[in-house]
Amino acid sequence: MKPLVEVRDMCKIYNPGENEVRALDHVSLTIDQGEFVGIIGHSGSGKSTLMNMLGCLDIPTSGSYFLNGKDVSHMSDDELSDIRNVEIGFIFQGFNLIPNLTAQENVELPLIYRGVGKKEREALARESLKMVGLAHRMDHKPSEMSGGQQQRVAIARAIAAKPPVILADEPTGNLDSRSTQEIMNILKDLHKDGRTV
């Protein structure tokens, strides 16, 4: 079976030449379907750059990246956008919720871009909000929720379309210790359900 994520000899160089910064220097990595992987390192060690590469938000200077068997390292912006839309669920440190939308509407928004019909979209949003323990908060706006609840909405949004890969970039960075534990438990449960995190 092919790995879900395969990075070969990846480099990312900013300002090539005399003042170049090697954010990634010949990184190779394999992640199989269903793994739970943590990427750790000092500030400035390239973690976010690697996450941007894995999430198809940026392309490498050299090397290759295969996601689900597809070489995404040389795709166009439109092709990368399609890959992100189908293959990857993003959870960011900043919740990136739209303030004037309810929790359910925030979760539904990316599904609209995927062309999911209204009834299915509503059902997927409700199901994912229930999974993160927010069945009782679906009609609340972000300003009416705690930071931990807002991050759970962001997780529900990331998982609603059931992408094979969940990328979480410091998902607990802005949260207190109780909320951090809740978010980590949700990620562990997603992993137990077969998601690659």
Side-chain angles (χ1 to χ4, degrees):
M1 190 166 87
K2 286 185 197 149
L4 183 60
V5 168
E6 187 174 6
V7 172
R8 296 182 194 153
D9 208 29
M10 184 184 283
C11 294
K12 182 63 178 181
I13 301 170
Y14 296 102
N15 306 321
E18 199 174 311
N19 296 318
E20 75 181 23
V21 175
R22 288 184 164 268
L24 297 177
D25 197 9
H26 300 283
V27 172
S28 294
L29 170 72
T30 301
I31 300 172
D32 290 322
Q33 176 76 38
E35 279 196 84
F36 192 118
V37 177
I39 299 170
I40 57 173
H42 297 292
S43 178
S45 64
K47 300 182 303 293
S48 289
T49 301
L50 180 58
M51 290 293 279
N52 286 341
M53 298 295 159
L54 296 179
C56 298
L57 295 167
D58 200 355
I59 55 170
T61 305
S62 63
S64 57
Y65 171 27
F66 293 85
L67 177 61
N68 235 347
K70 295 182 215 103
D71 185 353
V72 297
S73 29
H74 305 291
M75 287 185 172
S76 70
D77 287 345
D78 285 346
E79 290 170 315
L80 289 172
S81 180
D82 290 343
I83 292 283
R84 284 192 303 270
N85 206 10
V86 174
E87 303 281 340
I88 301 166
F90 291 98
I91 306 165
F92 299 101
Q93 182 175 352
F95 318 127
N96 297 341
L97 300 177
I98 297 176
N100 61 340
L101 296 182
T102 65
Q104 181 168 334
E105 290 166 339
N106 265 288
V107 174
E108 284 184 42
L109 192 59
L111 299 172
I112 293 170
Y113 295 119
R114 289 183 179 193
V116 177
K118 185 172 175 27
K119 277 198 161 103
E120 184 184 357
R121 194 169 67 227
E122 289 173 352
L124 287 170
R126 284 194 298 271
E127 178 188 345
S128 64
L129 284 163
K130 283 178 189 163
M131 282 178 69
V132 299
L134 288 177
H136 63 296
R137 306 288 285 183
M138 291 187 194
D139 295 324
H140 288 76
K141 293 186 177 172
S143 62
E144 301 167 328
M145 294 186 237
S146 69
Q149 289 171 331
Q150 289 182 59
Q151 187 61 297
R152 286 192 270 160
V153 173
I155 292 172
R157 180 184 57 201
I159 65 174
K162 301 178 174 46
V165 179
I166 304 292
L167 285 181
D169 192 1
E170 297 192 40
T172 61
N174 290 331
L175 304 177
D176 61 34
S177 56
R178 188 173 142 260
S179 296
T180 292
Q181 192 57 55
E182 288 173 358
I183 298 306
M184 290 310 297
N185 288 340
I186 291 168
L187 292 174
K188 288 175 188 171
D189 288 344
L190 289 168
H191 175 246
K192 282 182 202 156
D193 287 346
R195 307 289 179 97
T196 304
V197 181

